[in-house]
Amino acid sequence: MTALNGADADDPTMTADQLEMFFNTSRAPNAGGNDIFTARRGTVTDAWSMIGPVTALNTSSDDATPDVSADGLTMFFVAAGTVGQKDVFVATRADRAAAWGGKTQITAVSTPADDSGPTLTADLLTMYLSANPSGDDDIYVATRPMIGAAWSTPALVPGINSATANDGEPCVNATNTLLLWASSRAGSFDLWMARRANASDPWGPPMAVSELNTAAPETDPWLSPDEYTIYFARDAAIYVATR
């Protein structure tokens, strides 16, 4: 992924067909701070191309941690807002060839702290995100009964967060039974995961994704719908692994 990693790159997110990626970077052309960029490819074996900024969404402040829906028509991300340092926003487009429409702040899930990493289940009814009202990042969850309905107030995810470390930038699978995130609980940032049998069960114990973790910081995981491919960031570059 040399073309993607010619400058700092992290927070990858992809459409379900893995042909369109969004990520954040401070590379040029840059509107200010981190911007959201996109890349495309014709097949999953092709090199990434058409790499450039999503100009309809980028501002002079940080625009970061995108999460695109499986169909590529809805994107959640963080940017400067009216509640905290960075707040959660959403934008939509009519089809994959169309420009993104104006972004809308989701005030209900934005906190007075620094929000990041919104990630949603496939039905777009459950959102995980991280925020740091107590100083360290922790993972929160919010829900809504249907698309267009109001979001609940984010609540800490029981059994996931460390009291003495940062836990953030989560990724959830389609069925809300696998959660991946970055945690500094072992020293430097590594990838961690937790599972449960169904979406109404408590989360199982956090486990390090030891086969991917190194002495360098690993963050920002994105998991393919079949759970066989993972993209993540390591030292300001995007990596991919399969199983």
Side-chain angles (χ1 to χ4, degrees), residues 106-118:
I106 309 177
T107 305
V109 300
S110 299
T111 75
D114 186 14
D115 303 328
S116 64

Side-chain angles (χ1 to χ4, degrees), residues 130 137-139 160-162 165-169 181-185:
S130 51
D137 278 337
D138 287 315
I139 298 176
I160 294 296
N161 297 300
S162 167
N166 287 290
D167 296 279
E169 299 186 343
W181 72 97
S183 179
S184 63
R185 68 187 65 197

Side-chain angles (χ1 to χ4, degrees), residues 150-228:
W151 287 96
S152 66
T153 301
L156 284 166
V157 180
I160 294 296
N161 297 300
S162 167
T164 58
N166 287 290
D167 296 279
E169 299 186 343
C171 173
V172 66
N173 69 348
T175 57
N176 201 4
T177 56
L178 171 61
L179 191 66
L180 290 150
W181 72 97
S183 179
S184 63
R185 68 187 65 197
S188 66
F189 275 102
D190 288 323
L191 300 182
W192 286 70
M193 61 177 285
R195 290 189 179 273
R196 57 186 177 183
N198 61 69
S200 60
D201 286 347
W203 287 103
M207 300 176 291
V209 187
S210 56
E211 64 269 30
L212 297 180
N213 293 329
T214 67
E218 283 84 25
T219 59
D220 312 316
W222 178 87
L223 190 66
S224 62
D226 62 10
E227 301 183 13
Y228 290 165

Side-chain angles (χ1 to χ4, degrees), residues 4 6-11 23-30 32-38 51-53 58 62-64 236:
L4 288 178
D8 64 307
D10 61 10
D11 294 297
F23 61 101
N24 63 252
T25 177
S26 61
R27 72 186 67 187
N30 181 270
N34 279 302
D35 282 345
I36 298 172
F37 271 56
T38 183
I51 302 169
N58 293 325
D62 275 344
D63 306 283

Side-chain angles (χ1 to χ4, degrees), residues 4-124:
L4 288 178
N5 294 326
D8 64 307
D10 61 10
D11 294 297
T13 180
M14 300 174 69
T15 51
D17 59 14
Q18 299 182 55
L19 301 183
E20 189 172 12
M21 178 189 289
F22 297 90
F23 61 101
N24 63 252
T25 177
S26 61
R27 72 186 67 187
N30 181 270
N34 279 302
D35 282 345
I36 298 172
F37 271 56
T38 183
R40 294 176 183 260
R41 58 185 177 181
T43 73
V44 294
T45 59
D46 288 346
W48 291 101
S49 62
M50 300 175 62
I51 302 169
V54 185
T55 55
L57 302 181
N58 293 325
T59 68
S60 59
S61 299
D62 275 344
D63 306 283
T65 61
D67 182 61
V68 70
S69 60
D71 62 8
L73 303 184
T74 304
M75 185 153 57
F76 297 82
F77 57 100
V78 298
T82 61
V83 178
Q85 183 177 347
K86 286 196 291 290
D87 295 334
V88 180
F89 286 76
V90 63
T92 60
R93 58 182 176 179
D95 56 63
R96 296 268 288 269
W100 289 96
K103 62 187 182 184
T104 301
Q105 182 174 338
I106 309 177
T107 305
V109 300
S110 299
T111 75
D114 186 14
D115 303 328
S116 64
T119 181
L120 284 88
T121 49
D123 59 11
L124 304 184

Side-chain angles (χ1 to χ4, degrees), residues 128-148:
Y128 292 87
L129 70 155
S130 51
N132 59 356
S134 61
D136 291 332
D137 278 337
D138 287 315
I139 298 176
Y140 291 74
V141 62
T143 60
R144 58 182 176 178
M146 64 185 70
I147 293 175

